Amino acid sequence: MPLLQALRRLGQRPTMQDWPGLIEAYRSWLPVSAATPVITLREGATPLIPAPSLSRLIGRGVLVHLKYDGLNPTGSFKDRGMTMAISKAREEGSEAVICASTGNTSAAAAAYARRGGMRAFVLIPDGYVAQGKLAQALLYGAEVLAVKGNFDRALAIVREVADQYPVTLVNSLNPYRLQGQKTAAFEVIDALGDAPDWLCIPVGNAGNISAYWMGFKEYRDAGLSQTLPRMMGFQAEGAAPMVLGHTVEHPDTIATAIRIGNPVNKENALKAQRESQGGFLAVSDAEILEAYKLLGRDEGVFCEPASAASVAGLLKRREEVPANSTVVCVLTGNGLKDPTTAIEHNDSRFHTGLEPDTSVVASVMGF
Ligand code: F0G
């Protein structure tokens, strides 16, 4: 029974403090023991938000929900994997962690590592990380190394460094990352009572789609859900190795979070797609931006561009969604991560330089 319902039944008033973070909430599903020092910012328990405008757009009785993982402590789904990876690194006596990142992993790694008393080294593609994410990594006390190359190159370097020096790799090659991230699928089922029919998700390094699939299967195998969703993975057209079936040497997209040409989890992601009879599809930057603006304007949900790829993909494949089905789109990161894109791409009117005068303001308002 979900925690809040259980509390209400006991006559207790639920508060946010009742959520202990995802390791404690899902302890029996995770590779932790009494010896694991749990490093948590009370991540998880993010809302599954009904999306009435999107549901109307798709029509035919389809119900769309948004899994808004941008409400995690550092503003992205990466916190789910990082609470696990950092707790295990600490358990193993590690004093430093390292990752390559398009931004979100670096923010999460920095926050959790520092909280756990470890050093955090983060390699980012120079010039291709959204402002908010860079601000976070710096503020959380990471040592930031910007390399002249893309994410794939940075990850290759990080793997070599972690092989040769005493630092723990916390990219999603670290198996604890996907263990933590699978809890998002548990939460979706806990909220809906069963798995959705479709799960739409942006794909970059292909870890999250693999983690969700693991979570859906574990709950189904334990009898906590009856069905499995079709896993629909969406990539940006200029960075779509899973769609093309080969590495992309020079990935490019406005959705910098998923500007990745050689996903390390591609085998797991292909397995998820095959087993679930799902699919991979590319969406253009223009389609991503349309979905991004629609989410803000019509649903009141501000996500980052990469996250909007899940909704852009759903809209592109809307004809194939079965009537009366339930769809969950994963919104992986918070829109505040990337204020530059929001300011450059919106349909709002922004009147600047106005005289501080009531009649001027009223006339601009159209009165
Ligand atoms: N959405 C956002 C907001 C992301 O930051 C990422 C990945 C993805 C989707 C794709 O998830 O890699 O598991 O397929 N960001 C990584 C990073 C690469 O460094 O923050 P994936």
Side-chain angles (χ1 to χ4, degrees), residues 99-101 123-125 147 149-159:
C99 67
S101 180
L123 264 71
I124 56 170
V147 297
N150 60 30
F151 169 85
D152 304 289
R153 182 73 197 113
L155 183 56
I157 296 170
V158 157
R159 290 174 77 165

Side-chain angles (χ1 to χ4, degrees), residues 37 52 64 90 119 151 153 177 192 205 245 254 318 355:
V64 183
R90 174 82 181 274
R119 293 176 74 183
F151 169 85
R153 182 73 197 113
R177 280 277 312 277
L192 291 175
N205 217 14
I254 192 166
R318 74 176 92 178
E355 289 305 322

Side-chain angles (χ1 to χ4, degrees), residues 76-78 100-106 133 151 181 202-209 257-258 260 304 306-307 332-333:
S76 86
F77 72 99
K78 304 289 181 178
S101 180
T102 55
N104 282 324
T105 302
S106 68
K133 304 176 188 181
F151 169 85
Q181 285 174 213
V203 174
N205 217 14
N208 211 26
I209 191 171
I258 51 173
I260 294 173
E304 61 174 289
S307 306
T332 45

Side-chain angles (χ1 to χ4, degrees), residues 263-278:
V264 288
N265 288 295
K266 57 171 137 334
E267 293 308 325
N268 280 332
L270 278 172
K271 198 162 153 248
Q273 181 244 321
R274 267 197 311 270
E275 290 179 357
S276 75
Q277 285 146 27

Side-chain angles (χ1 to χ4, degrees), residues 237-262:
E237 240 167 45
M242 300 302 299
V243 181
L244 298 169
H246 60 75
T247 298
V248 174
E249 287 302 327
H250 301 290
D252 195 27
T253 167
I254 192 166
T256 51
I258 51 173
R259 187 175 169 272
I260 294 173
N262 186 20

